[in-house]
Coordinates of all heavy atoms in Angstrom, one line a residue:
M147 N 20.3 7.4 -7.1 CA 19.3 7.9 -8.1 C 18.0 8.4 -7.5 O 17.4 7.8 -6.5 CB 18.9 6.8 -9.1 CG 18.1 7.3 -10.3 SD 18.0 5.9 -11.5 CE 16.5 6.2 -12.2
K148 N 17.6 9.5 -7.9 CA 16.4 10.2 -7.3 C 15.2 9.4 -7.8 O 15.1 9.0 -8.9 CB 16.4 11.6 -7.8 CG 15.3 12.5 -7.0 CD 15.5 13.9 -7.4 CE 14.7 14.7 -6.4 NZ 14.9 16.1 -6.6
K149 N 14.2 9.2 -6.9 CA 12.9 8.5 -7.2 C 12.0 9.5 -7.9 O 11.9 10.6 -7.5 CB 12.3 7.9 -6.0 CG 13.0 6.8 -5.4 CD 12.3 6.2 -4.2 CE 13.0 5.1 -3.6 NZ 12.3 4.4 -2.5
F150 N 11.2 9.0 -8.9 CA 10.2 9.8 -9.5 C 9.1 9.0 -10.0 O 9.2 7.8 -10.2 CB 10.8 10.7 -10.6 CG 11.2 9.9 -11.9 CD1 10.2 9.8 -13.0 CD2 12.4 9.3 -12.0 CE1 10.6 9.0 -14.0 CE2 12.7 8.6 -13.1 CZ 11.8 8.4 -14.1
E151 N 7.9 9.6 -10.2 CA 6.8 9.1 -10.8 C 6.2 10.0 -11.8 O 6.3 11.2 -11.7 CB 5.6 8.9 -9.8 CG 5.8 7.8 -8.7 CD 4.6 7.8 -7.8 OE1 3.8 8.7 -7.7 OE2 4.5 6.7 -7.1
I152 N 5.7 9.4 -12.9 CA 5.1 10.2 -14.0 C 3.6 9.9 -13.8 O 3.2 8.8 -14.0 CB 5.6 9.9 -15.3 CG1 7.1 10.2 -15.3 CG2 4.9 10.7 -16.4 CD1 7.9 9.8 -16.6
L153 N 2.8 10.9 -13.5 CA 1.4 10.7 -13.3 C 0.6 11.4 -14.4 O 0.9 12.4 -15.0 CB 0.9 11.4 -12.1 CG 1.7 11.0 -10.7 CD1 1.3 11.8 -9.6 CD2 1.3 9.5 -10.5
M154 N -0.4 10.6 -14.9 CA -1.3 11.1 -15.9 C -2.7 11.0 -15.5 O -3.1 10.2 -14.7 CB -1.1 10.4 -17.2 CG -1.4 8.9 -17.3 SD -1.0 8.2 -18.9 CE -2.0 9.1 -20.0
P155 N -3.6 11.9 -15.9 CA -5.0 11.8 -15.5 C -5.7 10.6 -16.1 O -5.5 10.2 -17.2 CB -5.6 13.1 -16.0 CG -4.7 13.5 -17.2 CD -3.4 12.9 -16.9
V156 N -6.7 10.1 -15.2 CA -7.5 9.1 -15.7 C -9.0 9.6 -15.5 O -9.3 10.0 -14.4 CB -7.3 7.8 -14.8 CG1 -8.3 6.7 -15.1 CG2 -6.0 7.2 -14.9
K157 N -9.7 9.5 -16.5 CA -11.2 10.0 -16.5 C -12.0 9.1 -15.6 O -11.9 7.9 -15.8 CB -11.7 10.1 -17.9 CG -13.0 10.8 -17.9 CD -13.4 11.0 -19.4 CE -14.7 12.0 -19.5 NZ -15.9 11.2 -19.7
K158 N -12.7 9.6 -14.7 CA -13.6 8.9 -13.7 C -15.0 9.1 -14.1 O -15.3 9.9 -15.0 CB -13.2 9.3 -12.3 CG -11.9 9.0 -11.8 CD -11.6 9.6 -10.5 CE -12.3 9.0 -9.4 NZ -12.0 9.5 -8.1
D159 N -15.9 8.6 -13.3 CA -17.3 8.7 -13.5 C -17.7 10.3 -13.5 O -17.4 11.0 -12.6 CB -18.1 8.0 -12.3 CG -19.6 8.1 -12.5 OD1 -20.1 8.6 -13.5 OD2 -20.2 7.7 -11.6
E160 N -18.3 10.7 -14.5 CA -18.7 12.1 -14.8 C -19.7 12.6 -13.7 O -19.8 13.9 -13.5 CB -19.1 12.4 -16.1 CG -18.1 12.3 -17.2 CD -18.4 12.8 -18.5 OE1 -19.3 13.7 -18.6 OE2 -17.9 12.2 -19.5
S161 N -20.3 11.7 -13.0 CA -21.4 12.2 -12.0 C -20.7 12.6 -10.8 O -21.3 13.4 -10.0 CB -22.3 11.0 -11.7 OG -21.6 9.9 -11.1
Q162 N -19.4 12.4 -10.6 CA -18.7 13.0 -9.5 C -18.3 14.4 -9.6 O -18.0 14.9 -10.7 CB -17.4 12.1 -9.2 CG -17.6 10.7 -8.9 CD -16.4 9.9 -8.6 OE1 -15.3 10.6 -8.7 NE2 -16.4 8.7 -8.3
I163 N -18.4 15.1 -8.6 CA -18.2 16.6 -8.7 C -16.7 17.0 -8.5 O -16.3 17.8 -9.2 CB -19.1 17.3 -7.6 CG1 -20.6 17.0 -7.9 CG2 -18.8 18.8 -7.6 CD1 -21.4 17.5 -6.8
E164 N -16.0 16.4 -7.6 CA -14.7 16.8 -7.3 C -13.7 16.4 -8.4 O -14.0 15.6 -9.3 CB -14.2 16.2 -6.0 CG -13.9 14.6 -6.1 CD -15.1 13.7 -5.9 OE1 -16.2 14.2 -5.8 OE2 -14.9 12.5 -5.9
K165 N -12.6 17.2 -8.5 CA -11.6 17.0 -9.5 C -10.3 16.8 -8.8 O -9.8 17.8 -8.2 CB -11.6 18.2 -10.5 CG -10.7 17.9 -11.7 CD -10.4 19.1 -12.5 CE -11.6 19.5 -13.4 NZ -11.2 20.5 -14.4
E166 N -9.8 15.6 -8.6 CA -8.5 15.4 -7.9 C -7.3 16.0 -8.8 O -6.4 16.6 -8.1 CB -8.3 14.0 -7.6 CG -9.4 13.4 -6.8 CD -9.2 11.9 -6.5 OE1 -8.1 11.4 -6.5 OE2 -10.2 11.2 -6.4
Y167 N -7.3 15.7 -10.1 CA -6.3 16.2 -10.9 C -6.8 16.3 -12.3 O -7.4 15.4 -12.7 CB -5.0 15.4 -10.9 CG -4.0 15.8 -11.9 CD1 -3.3 17.0 -11.7 CD2 -3.7 15.0 -13.0 CE1 -2.4 17.5 -12.7 CE2 -2.8 15.5 -13.9 CZ -2.1 16.6 -13.8 OH -1.2 17.1 -14.8
G168 N -6.7 17.4 -13.0 CA -7.1 17.5 -14.3 C -6.3 18.5 -15.1 O -5.4 19.1 -14.5
G169 N -6.6 18.7 -16.4 CA -5.8 19.5 -17.2 C -6.3 21.0 -17.1 O -7.2 21.3 -16.3
S170 N -5.7 21.8 -17.8 CA -5.9 23.2 -17.7 C -7.1 23.6 -18.5 O -7.4 24.8 -18.6 CB -4.7 24.0 -18.2 OG -4.4 23.6 -19.6
S171 N -7.8 22.7 -19.2 CA -8.9 23.0 -20.1 C -10.2 23.5 -19.3 O -11.1 24.0 -19.8 CB -9.2 21.8 -21.0 OG -9.8 20.8 -20.3
G172 N -10.3 23.1 -18.0 CA -11.4 23.3 -17.3 C -12.6 22.5 -17.6 O -13.7 22.7 -17.3
I173 N -12.4 21.3 -18.2 CA -13.5 20.4 -18.6 C -14.2 19.9 -17.2 O -13.6 19.9 -16.2 CB -13.0 19.1 -19.3 CG1 -11.7 19.2 -19.9 CG2 -14.1 18.6 -20.3 CD1 -11.2 17.9 -20.6
G174 N -15.5 19.7 -17.3 CA -16.2 19.4 -16.1 C -16.0 18.0 -15.6 O -16.5 17.6 -14.5
A175 N -15.4 17.2 -16.3 CA -15.3 15.7 -15.9 C -14.3 15.6 -14.7 O -13.4 16.4 -14.6 CB -14.7 14.9 -17.1
S176 N -14.5 14.5 -13.9 CA -13.7 14.3 -12.8 C -12.4 13.5 -13.2 O -12.5 12.7 -14.1 CB -14.4 13.5 -11.7 OG -15.4 14.3 -11.2
F177 N -11.3 13.7 -12.7 CA -10.1 13.0 -13.0 C -9.4 12.5 -11.7 O -9.4 13.3 -10.7 CB -9.1 13.9 -13.8 CG -9.6 14.3 -15.2 CD1 -10.3 15.3 -15.5 CD2 -9.2 13.4 -16.2 CE1 -10.7 15.6 -16.7 CE2 -9.6 13.6 -17.5 CZ -10.3 14.7 -17.9
A178 N -8.7 11.5 -11.8 CA -7.8 11.1 -10.7 C -6.5 10.8 -11.4 O -6.4 10.9 -12.6 CB -8.3 9.8 -10.1
S179 N -5.4 10.6 -10.6 CA -4.1 10.4 -11.3 C -3.6 9.0 -11.1 O -4.1 8.4 -10.1 CB -3.2 11.4 -10.8 OG -2.9 11.2 -9.5
T180 N -2.9 8.5 -12.1 CA -2.4 7.1 -12.0 C -0.9 7.3 -12.5 O -0.6 8.0 -13.3 CB -3.1 6.2 -12.7 OG1 -2.6 4.8 -12.4 CG2 -3.1 6.4 -14.2
A181 N 0.0 6.5 -11.9 CA 1.3 6.5 -12.3 C 1.5 5.7 -13.7 O 0.8 4.7 -13.9 CB 2.3 5.8 -11.3
I182 N 2.3 6.2 -14.6 CA 2.5 5.5 -15.8 C 3.4 4.4 -15.6 O 4.4 4.4 -14.9 CB 3.1 6.5 -16.8 CG1 2.2 7.6 -17.2 CG2 3.6 5.7 -18.1 CD1 2.8 8.6 -18.1
N183 N 3.0 3.1 -16.0 CA 3.8 2.0 -15.9 C 4.5 1.6 -17.2 O 3.8 1.1 -18.2 CB 3.0 0.8 -15.4 CG 3.7 -0.4 -15.1 OD1 4.8 -0.8 -15.7 ND2 3.3 -1.2 -14.1
F184 N 5.8 1.9 -17.4 CA 6.4 1.7 -18.7 C 6.5 0.3 -19.1 O 6.6 0.0 -20.2 CB 7.8 2.5 -18.7 CG 7.7 3.9 -18.7 CD1 7.9 4.7 -17.6 CD2 7.4 4.6 -19.9 CE1 7.8 6.0 -17.6 CE2 7.2 6.0 -19.9 CZ 7.4 6.7 -18.8
N185 N 6.6 -0.6 -18.1 CA 6.7 -2.0 -18.4 C 5.4 -2.5 -19.1 O 5.4 -3.3 -19.9 CB 6.8 -2.9 -17.1 CG 8.2 -2.7 -16.5 OD1 9.2 -2.4 -17.3 ND2 8.4 -2.8 -15.2
E186 N 4.2 -1.9 -18.6 CA 2.9 -2.3 -19.3 C 2.9 -1.8 -20.7 O 2.4 -2.4 -21.6 CB 1.8 -1.7 -18.5 CG 1.6 -2.5 -17.2 CD 0.4 -1.9 -16.4 OE1 -0.4 -1.1 -16.8 OE2 0.2 -2.4 -15.2
I187 N 3.4 -0.5 -20.9 CA 3.4 0.1 -22.3 C 4.2 -0.8 -23.1 O 3.9 -1.2 -24.3 CB 4.0 1.5 -22.2 CG1 3.0 2.4 -21.5 CG2 4.3 2.0 -23.7 CD1 3.5 3.8 -21.3
T188 N 5.5 -1.2 -22.7 CA 6.4 -2.0 -23.6 C 5.8 -3.4 -23.8 O 5.9 -4.0 -24.9 CB 7.9 -2.0 -23.0 OG1 7.8 -2.6 -21.7 CG2 8.5 -0.7 -23.0
S189 N 5.2 -3.9 -22.7 CA 4.6 -5.3 -22.8 C 3.5 -5.3 -24.0 O 3.3 -6.2 -24.7 CB 4.1 -5.7 -21.5 OG 3.5 -7.0 -21.6
F190 N 2.7 -4.2 -23.9 CA 1.5 -4.1 -24.9 C 2.1 -4.0 -26.3 O 1.7 -4.7 -27.2 CB 0.7 -2.8 -24.6 CG -0.2 -2.5 -25.7 CD1 -1.3 -3.2 -26.1 CD2 0.1 -1.3 -26.5 CE1 -2.2 -2.9 -27.1 CE2 -0.8 -1.0 -27.6 CZ -1.9 -1.8 -27.9
I191 N 3.2 -3.2 -26.5 CA 3.8 -3.0 -27.8 C 4.4 -4.4 -28.3 O 4.2 -4.7 -29.4 CB 4.8 -1.9 -27.8 CG1 4.1 -0.5 -27.6 CG2 5.6 -1.9 -29.1 CD1 4.9 0.6 -27.3
E192 N 5.0 -5.1 -27.3 CA 5.6 -6.3 -27.7 C 4.5 -7.4 -28.1 O 4.7 -8.2 -29.0 CB 6.4 -7.0 -26.5 CG 7.7 -6.3 -26.3 CD 8.4 -6.6 -25.0 OE1 7.9 -7.5 -24.3 OE2 9.5 -6.0 -24.8
S193 N 3.3 -7.3 -27.6 CA 2.2 -8.1 -27.9 C 1.7 -7.9 -29.4 O 0.9 -8.7 -29.9 CB 1.0 -8.0 -26.9 OG 0.3 -6.7 -27.2
L194 N 2.1 -6.7 -30.0 CA 1.7 -6.5 -31.4 C 2.4 -7.3 -32.4 O 2.1 -7.2 -33.5 CB 1.8 -5.0 -31.6 CG 1.0 -4.0 -30.7 CD1 1.3 -2.6 -31.0 CD2 -0.5 -4.3 -30.9
G195 N 3.5 -7.9 -31.9 CA 4.3 -8.8 -32.8 C 5.3 -8.2 -33.7 O 6.4 -8.1 -33.5
S196 N 4.7 -7.6 -34.8 CA 5.7 -7.0 -35.9 C 6.0 -5.5 -35.6 O 6.6 -4.9 -36.5 CB 5.0 -7.2 -37.2 OG 3.8 -6.5 -37.3
Y197 N 5.7 -5.0 -34.5 CA 6.1 -3.6 -34.0 C 6.9 -3.6 -32.9 O 7.0 -4.5 -32.1 CB 4.7 -2.9 -33.8 CG 3.9 -2.6 -35.1 CD1 2.9 -3.5 -35.4 CD2 4.2 -1.6 -35.9 CE1 2.2 -3.3 -36.5 CE2 3.4 -1.4 -37.0 CZ 2.4 -2.3 -37.4 OH 1.6 -2.1 -38.5
E198 N 7.7 -2.4 -32.8 CA 8.5 -2.1 -31.6 C 8.4 -0.8 -31.2 O 8.1 0.1 -32.0 CB 10.0 -2.6 -31.9 CG 10.7 -1.7 -33.1 CD 12.0 -2.3 -33.5 OE1 12.5 -3.2 -32.8 OE2 12.5 -1.7 -34.4
L199 N 8.8 -0.5 -30.0 CA 8.7 0.9 -29.5 C 9.8 1.7 -30.1 O 11.1 1.3 -30.3 CB 9.0 1.0 -28.0 CG 9.0 2.3 -27.3 CD1 7.7 2.9 -27.4 CD2 9.4 2.1 -25.8
D200 N 9.5 3.0 -30.7 CA 10.4 3.9 -31.3 C 10.8 4.9 -30.3 O 12.0 5.3 -30.2 CB 9.9 4.3 -32.6 CG 10.9 5.3 -33.4 OD1 12.1 4.9 -33.3 OD2 10.4 6.2 -34.0
N201 N 9.7 5.5 -29.7 CA 10.0 6.7 -28.9 C 8.8 7.0 -28.0 O 7.7 6.6 -28.2 CB 10.1 7.9 -29.9 CG 10.5 9.2 -29.2 OD1 11.3 9.2 -28.4 ND2 9.9 10.3 -29.6
I202 N 9.1 7.5 -26.8 CA 8.1 7.9 -25.8 C 8.4 9.4 -25.5 O 9.5 9.8 -25.1 CB 8.1 7.1 -24.5 CG1 7.7 5.8 -24.8 CG2 7.2 7.8 -23.5 CD1 7.7 4.9 -23.5
E203 N 7.4 10.3 -25.8 CA 7.6 11.7 -25.6 C 6.6 12.1 -24.5 O 5.5 11.9 -24.6 CB 7.3 12.5 -27.0 CG 7.4 13.9 -26.8 CD 7.1 14.6 -28.2 OE1 7.5 14.1 -29.2 OE2 6.4 15.7 -28.1
L204 N 7.2 12.8 -23.5 CA 6.4 13.3 -22.4 C 6.4 14.8 -22.4 O 7.5 15.5 -22.5 CB 7.0 12.9 -21.1 CG 7.1 11.4 -20.8 CD1 7.8 11.1 -19.5 CD2 5.6 10.8 -20.7
N205 N 5.2 15.4 -22.4 CA 5.1 16.9 -22.2 C 4.4 17.1 -21.0 O 3.2 16.7 -20.8 CB 4.3 17.5 -23.4 CG 5.0 17.3 -24.7 OD1 6.2 17.8 -24.9 ND2 4.4 16.7 -25.7
L206 N 5.1 17.7 -20.0 CA 4.6 17.7 -18.6 C 4.0 19.1 -18.3 O 4.3 20.1 -18.9 CB 5.7 17.5 -17.6 CG 6.5 16.1 -17.9 CD1 7.7 16.1 -17.0 CD2 5.5 15.0 -17.6
E207 N 3.0 19.1 -17.4 CA 2.3 20.3 -16.9 C 2.9 20.8 -15.6 O 2.9 22.0 -15.3 CB 0.9 20.0 -16.7 CG 0.0 21.0 -17.3 CD -1.4 20.7 -17.3 OE1 -2.0 20.3 -16.3 OE2 -2.1 20.6 -18.4
A208 N 3.4 19.9 -14.7 CA 3.8 20.4 -13.4 C 4.7 19.4 -12.8 O 4.8 18.2 -13.2 CB 2.6 20.6 -12.5
A209 N 5.4 19.7 -11.7 CA 6.3 18.8 -10.9 C 6.0 19.2 -9.5 O 6.1 20.4 -9.1 CB 7.6 18.9 -11.3
V210 N 6.0 18.1 -8.6 CA 5.9 18.3 -7.1 C 6.9 17.3 -6.4 O 6.8 16.2 -6.9 CB 4.4 18.1 -6.7 CG1 4.3 18.2 -5.2 CG2 3.5 19.1 -7.3
E211 N 7.5 17.7 -5.5 CA 8.4 16.8 -4.7 C 7.7 16.5 -3.3 O 7.4 17.5 -2.6 CB 9.8 17.3 -4.5 CG 10.6 16.3 -3.9 CD 12.1 16.6 -3.9 OE1 12.5 17.5 -4.6 OE2 12.8 16.0 -3.2
T212 N 7.4 15.2 -3.0 CA 6.8 14.9 -1.8 C 7.5 13.6 -1.3 O 7.6 12.7 -2.0 CB 5.2 14.7 -1.8 OG1 5.0 13.6 -2.8 CG2 4.5 15.9 -2.2
N213 N 7.9 13.6 0.0 CA 8.5 12.5 0.6 C 9.7 11.9 -0.2 O 9.9 10.7 -0.3 CB 7.5 11.4 0.8 CG 6.4 11.8 1.9 OD1 6.6 12.6 2.7 ND2 5.2 11.4 1.6
G214 N 10.5 12.8 -0.8 CA 11.6 12.4 -1.6 C 11.3 11.8 -2.9 O 12.2 11.3 -3.6
I215 N 10.1 11.9 -3.4 CA 9.7 11.4 -4.7 C 9.2 12.6 -5.5 O 8.4 13.4 -5.1 CB 8.5 10.4 -4.6 CG1 8.9 9.2 -3.8 CG2 8.1 10.0 -6.0 CD1 7.8 8.2 -3.5
T216 N 9.9 12.8 -6.7 CA 9.4 13.9 -7.5 C 8.2 13.4 -8.5 O 8.4 12.3 -9.1 CB 10.5 14.4 -8.5 OG1 11.7 14.8 -7.6 CG2 10.1 15.4 -9.4
K217 N 7.1 14.0 -8.3 CA 6.0 13.6 -9.2 C 5.8 14.6 -10.3 O 5.7 15.8 -10.1 CB 4.7 13.5 -8.3 CG 4.8 12.6 -7.2 CD 3.6 12.5 -6.3 CE 3.8 11.4 -5.3 NZ 2.6 11.0 -4.6
L218 N 5.9 14.0 -11.6 CA 5.7 14.8 -12.8 C 4.4 14.6 -13.4 O 4.0 13.4 -13.5 CB 6.8 14.3 -13.8 CG 8.3 14.4 -13.3 CD1 9.2 13.7 -14.3 CD2 8.7 15.7 -13.0
F219 N 3.6 15.6 -13.6 CA 2.2 15.5 -14.0 C 2.0 15.8 -15.5 O 2.5 16.8 -16.0 CB 1.4 16.5 -13.2 CG 1.2 16.2 -11.8 CD1 2.1 16.7 -10.9 CD2 0.2 15.4 -11.4 CE1 2.0 16.4 -9.5 CE2 0.1 15.1 -10.0 CZ 1.0 15.5 -9.1
V220 N 1.5 14.9 -16.2 CA 1.1 15.0 -17.6 C -0.3 15.6 -17.6 O -1.2 15.2 -16.9 CB 1.0 13.6 -18.2 CG1 0.5 13.7 -19.7 CG2 2.5 13.0 -18.3
G221 N -0.6 16.6 -18.4 CA -1.8 17.2 -18.5 C -2.9 16.4 -19.4 O -2.5 15.5 -20.1
A222 N -4.1 16.8 -19.2 CA -5.2 16.3 -20.0 C -5.5 16.9 -21.2 O -6.3 16.4 -22.1 CB -6.5 16.2 -19.1
S223 N -4.9 18.1 -21.5 CA -5.3 18.8 -22.7 C -4.1 19.7 -23.1 O -3.1 19.9 -22.4 CB -6.5 19.6 -22.5 OG -6.3 20.7 -21.5
G224 N -4.3 20.4 -24.2 CA -3.3 21.3 -24.7 C -2.1 20.7 -25.1 O -2.1 19.7 -25.7
T225 N -0.9 21.3 -24.9 CA 0.3 20.8 -25.4 C 0.9 19.7 -24.5 O 1.8 19.0 -24.8 CB 1.4 21.9 -25.4 OG1 1.6 22.5 -24.1 CG2 1.0 23.0 -26.4
A226 N 0.3 19.5 -23.3 CA 0.8 18.4 -22.4 C 0.2 17.0 -22.9 O -0.8 17.0 -23.5 CB 0.3 18.7 -21.0
G227 N 0.9 16.0 -22.6 CA 0.4 14.7 -23.0 C 1.6 13.7 -23.1 O 2.7 14.0 -22.8
V228 N 1.2 12.5 -23.5 CA 2.2 11.4 -23.7 C 1.9 10.9 -25.1 O 0.8 10.7 -25.6 CB 2.0 10.2 -22.8 CG1 2.9 9.1 -23.1 CG2 2.1 10.6 -21.3
K229 N 3.1 10.8 -25.9 CA 3.1 10.4 -27.3 C 4.0 9.1 -27.4 O 5.1 9.2 -27.0 CB 3.6 11.5 -28.1 CG 3.6 11.1 -29.6 CD 4.1 12.2 -30.5 CE 4.2 11.8 -31.9 NZ 4.8 12.9 -32.7
V230 N 3.4 8.0 -27.7 CA 4.1 6.7 -27.9 C 4.1 6.5 -29.3 O 3.1 6.4 -30.0 CB 3.4 5.6 -27.1 CG1 4.2 4.3 -27.4 CG2 3.4 5.9 -25.6
T231 N 5.4 6.4 -29.9 CA 5.6 6.1 -31.3 C 6.1 4.7 -31.5 O 7.0 4.3 -30.8 CB 6.6 7.0 -31.9 OG1 6.2 8.5 -31.6 CG2 6.7 6.9 -33.5
I232 N 5.4 3.9 -32.3 CA 5.8 2.6 -32.7 C 6.3 2.5 -34.1 O 5.9 3.4 -34.9 CB 4.8 1.5 -32.3 CG1 3.5 1.7 -33.1 CG2 4.5 1.5 -30.8 CD1 2.4 0.7 -32.9
K233 N 7.1 1.5 -34.4 CA 7.5 1.3 -35.9 C 7.5 -0.2 -36.1 O 7.6 -1.0 -35.3 CB 8.9 2.0 -36.1 CG 10.0 1.3 -35.3 CD 11.3 2.0 -35.6 CE 12.4 1.3 -34.8 NZ 13.7 2.0 -35.0
K234 N 7.4 -0.5 -37.4 CA 7.5 -1.9 -37.8 C 8.9 -2.4 -37.7 O 9.8 -1.7 -37.9 CB 7.1 -2.0 -39.4 CG 5.7 -2.3 -39.5 CD 5.5 -3.3 -40.7 CE 4.1 -3.6 -41.0 NZ 3.8 -4.8 -40.5
K235 N 9.0 -3.6 -37.2 CA 10.3 -4.3 -37.0 C 10.9 -4.5 -38.4 O 10.2 -4.8 -39.3 CB 10.3 -5.6 -36.2 CG 9.9 -5.4 -34.8 CD 9.8 -6.7 -34.1 CE 9.4 -6.6 -32.6 NZ 9.3 -7.9 -32.0
N236 N 12.2 -4.4 -38.4 CA 12.9 -4.7 -39.8 C 13.0 -6.2 -40.0 O 13.2 -7.0 -39.2 CB 14.3 -4.1 -39.6 CG 14.3 -2.6 -39.7 OD1 13.3 -1.9 -40.2 ND2 15.2 -2.0 -39.2

């Protein structure tokens, strides 16, 4: 199985000038990237008690392959993003 990471932008201190990774909107804020941890997402949803994960939708902006790992980038604006849908347990 091929290795992959899904990366999404994390807003950093706005006083920093550089932009390591950001969306296509051209916002002046600085961004760094972090890998999405699906175990943390599902753990958070399980902590809600009466809800369960229904769907995770990823809209990606770019993909890069480095050192045998495909890195999929989620954007900070526009149609790119991550949508997590939860539903009440039956």
Side-chain angles (χ1 to χ4, degrees):
M147 185 170 150
K148 195 170 189 173
K149 293 184 179 181
F150 72 94
E151 288 182 342
I152 297 172
L153 302 173
M154 64 184 301
V156 174
K157 190 169 188 260
K158 295 171 69 175
D159 181 10
E160 291 187 32
S161 63
Q162 295 180 2
I163 298 172
E164 73 276 4
K165 190 192 281 191
E166 295 176 35
Y167 173 70
S170 58
S171 68
I173 341 179
S176 296
F177 288 92
S179 62
T180 186
I182 295 174
N183 184 325
F184 288 104
N185 291 333
E186 289 179 9
I187 292 172
T188 54
S189 184
F190 166 72
I191 293 167
E192 287 170 3
S193 75
L194 299 175
S196 60
Y197 291 91
E198 61 187 354
L199 179 64
D200 184 36
N201 188 37
I202 296 177
E203 181 180 315
L204 299 171
N205 293 304
L206 305 170
E207 222 173 56
V210 175
E211 188 170 343
T212 57
N213 300 324
I215 300 173
T216 302
K217 297 183 178 195
L218 305 171
F219 292 90
V220 174
S223 65
T225 59
V228 177
K229 179 180 177 182
V230 176
T231 307
I232 59 176
K233 64 180 180 181
K234 270 219 179 257
K235 289 181 181 176
N236 291 333

